[in-house]
Amino acid sequence: MAEKPGAPAPRTGGDGELRRALASAMVPGIDELTRRVVDDIHAHSGTYASGTPVSREDLWEICRDNLLRALEDFGGLPPTGGDFENAARETGRRRAEQSVPLDTVLQAYRRGGRVMWQVMAEHLRATRAGGGHGATDRDRELDMAGAVWETIDRYSLVMAESYRLTQLEMQGRQDTRRVALFEALLDGRGDDPAVAAAASAALGVPVQDRYVMVVAAQDPAAPPNPAPVLEEHGIWSFWRPRAGRYAGIVRLAAGESDVLIGLLRHRTGATAGVSPEFDRLAGAGRALRLAEQALRTLPAKSGGAAAFDDRLAEVLLVGRPEIAERIVTTHLGAVLDTVAEREALLSTLRVWLDNGCSAARAAELLYCHRNTVLNRIGRIAELTGRSAESGEARLGWALALRALPLMGAGDEPAPLDGYFG
């Protein structure tokens, strides 16, 4: 016939009788046993002796419950509180919630088992002295010691399992709270001081510091989020998937902005937009929008990273695609129509503009003669009807070059291939 849960294991033979006798003799003195155990734990553990977070009353209650259940289980006595192991599970749950280290709790169990066996040994010695079992029962006493520690070890395992499960549950709740507060920041609710303070505590960072927001496209070739790469370099960040992308807040030390951009470009494989720095968590929502705008200026799946402040012209252009198209048509339309010359002319124009309109420097970078550069720039001027010496023409050409990859792109900028060599 199956035993009921929590029922004591049957104790048979002489050992069973001795175990029942010992347990029955000790149960009436459970309060004195508890006092001795609590005193011993306090004497050997600074954590418990401090009274924080475990008060003496809390420790007394837990110890008494565990000792009573252990004695009843050890002696095969009828349980007075249901499941024998419930006290151990409750200990694990409570101590995990109090953040008492598991090793400290396990040490307390060992101390409790030691004191329990000391009291049992005292009782056995008193019994022998009174003409009980006699000296020939020493082997049985050793068996009793082994049975005590077997019980204590089993209870320790149950407690530790409950402790770890509670930790996992607590971590899940903390993660849920952290995500909810991060989303509140991104939704612009960080202006509420209570929300900002709660987010600060949940994320483990100050309300006021140096931060940027990063929005990374979920490129198939890139990792789920850049956090591990940044962490390797001592940069704190927190990331969440959002609207098909990853949004991350990054805490920066002085001079780490360039390091962040470099890591995003060369180590993560993600295409990412980076906001300007902001100094309070409340600024995360606005910074998120700026990071998204910076991302929109990059070719999809390019693995590039762009800081908002470095892409101001592109941000303006991608936000007004009809104006971007008109700038390209007005300033470079005739060049684009020359299919045979287009690639050489556009690549030369970009290098020339990027190097202060120096034909000599452009020639070095393009591996051609200075006169070739001058001829190509002259050809562009001829096709567009604009003077290469005109500041307005140069500005128009520069804007048109930036607008080319963005034309008709919407959220997915067109690739650069075919426009720049």
Side-chain angles (χ1 to χ4, degrees):
M1 184 174 179
E3 296 178 14
K4 295 180 180 179
R11 312 295 184 212
T12 59
D15 285 352
E17 292 175 3
L18 181 56
R19 289 169 68 164
R20 278 194 298 275
L22 283 170
S24 298
M26 292 178 65
V27 166
I30 190 65
D31 288 342
E32 174 60 19
L33 176 60
T34 302
R35 182 195 64 76
R36 289 181 59 169
V37 169
V38 169
D39 287 346
D40 186 84
I41 291 172
H42 273 214
H44 292 88
S45 171
T47 299
Y48 282 106
S50 70
T52 304
V54 182
S55 67
R56 186 179 180 88
E57 292 75 17
D58 182 357
L59 181 60
W60 172 282
E61 175 191 346
I62 285 288
C63 283
R64 189 183 189 283
D65 205 13
N66 275 274
L67 289 166
L68 181 58
R69 303 294 166 253
L71 284 172
E72 292 173 344
D73 190 7
F74 172 81
L77 304 179
T80 57
D83 185 356
F84 283 128
E85 296 175 350
N86 185 64
R89 283 192 288 270
E90 173 63 16
T91 303
R93 181 196 64 78
R94 190 181 302 185
R95 297 299 177 251
E97 291 176 347
Q98 293 169 327
S99 298
V100 180
L102 179 57
D103 285 347
T104 301
V105 188
L106 288 169
Q107 182 188 37
Y109 265 73
R110 290 192 292 272
R111 300 305 309 178
R114 181 175 178 275
V115 172
M116 189 168 79
W117 171 243
Q118 286 175 341
V119 174
M120 282 187 179
E122 291 168 4
H123 180 79
L124 288 170
R125 285 194 295 270
T127 302
R128 286 202 305 271
H133 296 288
T136 57
D137 289 334
R138 291 187 184 278
D139 288 343
R140 294 179 67 189
E141 292 175 19
L142 292 176
D143 290 341
M144 292 301 100
V148 168
W149 285 110
E150 180 182 333
T151 301
I152 297 301
D153 285 346
R154 180 158 52 83
Y155 277 50
S156 297
L157 289 173
V158 171
M159 181 279 296
E161 180 182 7
S162 176
Y163 184 103
R164 295 187 181 99
L165 287 173
T166 301
Q167 273 194 325
L168 289 174
E169 292 170 0
M170 291 170 58
Q171 184 63 49
R173 292 195 296 268
Q174 290 170 357
D175 288 346
T176 299
R177 176 173 172 77
R178 188 177 296 119
V179 168
L181 287 166
F182 182 58
E183 289 290 337
L185 292 178
L186 300 189
D187 290 340
R189 286 179 278 158
D191 288 332
D192 182 340
V195 172
S200 169
L203 294 172
V205 292
V207 170
Q208 187 167 351
D209 208 332
R210 299 180 63 201
Y211 298 104
V212 294
M213 287 299 304
V214 181
V215 176
Q218 294 182 341
D219 298 338
N225 69 63
V229 170
L230 302 185
E231 187 176 356
E232 286 177 12
H233 291 77
I235 298 176
W236 177 91
S237 64
F238 183 80
W239 299 80
R240 286 295 300 168
R242 202 169 200 264
R245 294 168 178 167
Y246 276 94
I249 184 170
V250 181
R251 185 184 181 191
L252 296 175
E256 283 187 337
S257 294
D258 290 341
V259 174
L260 171 64
I261 293 292
L263 291 173
L264 291 171
R265 284 176 179 164
H266 305 301
R267 291 291 309 280
T268 70
T271 306
V274 182
S275 77
E277 290 186 15
F278 56 100
D279 61 6
R280 302 186 71 85
L281 289 178
R286 177 177 179 274
L288 174 71
R289 294 190 293 274
L290 299 183
E292 288 172 339
Q293 291 177 31
L295 175 62
R296 291 180 62 205
T297 70
L298 293 172
K301 303 178 183 178
S302 66
F308 180 86
D309 287 345
D310 294 336
R311 306 279 291 182
L312 293 176
E314 288 86 349
V315 167
L316 289 172
L317 292 166
V318 79
R320 298 295 300 272
E322 71 283 0
I323 294 178
E325 183 177 357
R326 191 61 190 165
I327 287 173
V328 171
T329 300
T330 302
H331 292 276
L332 287 179
V335 176
L336 297 177
D337 290 340
T338 61
V339 178
E341 300 176 85
R342 179 173 63 191
E343 184 174 344
L345 294 178
L346 290 176
S347 61
T348 300
L349 179 60
R350 186 176 73 165
V351 174
W352 180 70
L353 289 170
D354 286 348
N355 288 274
C357 302
S358 167
R361 178 60 181 154
E364 291 178 10
L365 295 172
L366 293 169
Y367 302 101
C368 64
H369 195 276
R370 176 176 177 274
N371 287 341
T372 301
V373 172
L374 292 174
N375 288 336
R376 290 175 180 172
I377 298 301
R379 176 64 172 153
I380 292 170
E382 176 188 351
L383 289 168
T384 61
R386 301 173 187 274
S387 170
E389 301 301 319
S390 166
E392 184 177 351
R394 293 177 180 182
L395 174 61
W397 290 338
L399 288 174
L401 287 173
R402 283 165 173 75
L404 267 175
L406 311 175
M407 285 180 55
D411 288 338
E412 299 290 339
L416 296 173
D417 298 345
Y419 289 120
F420 302 125

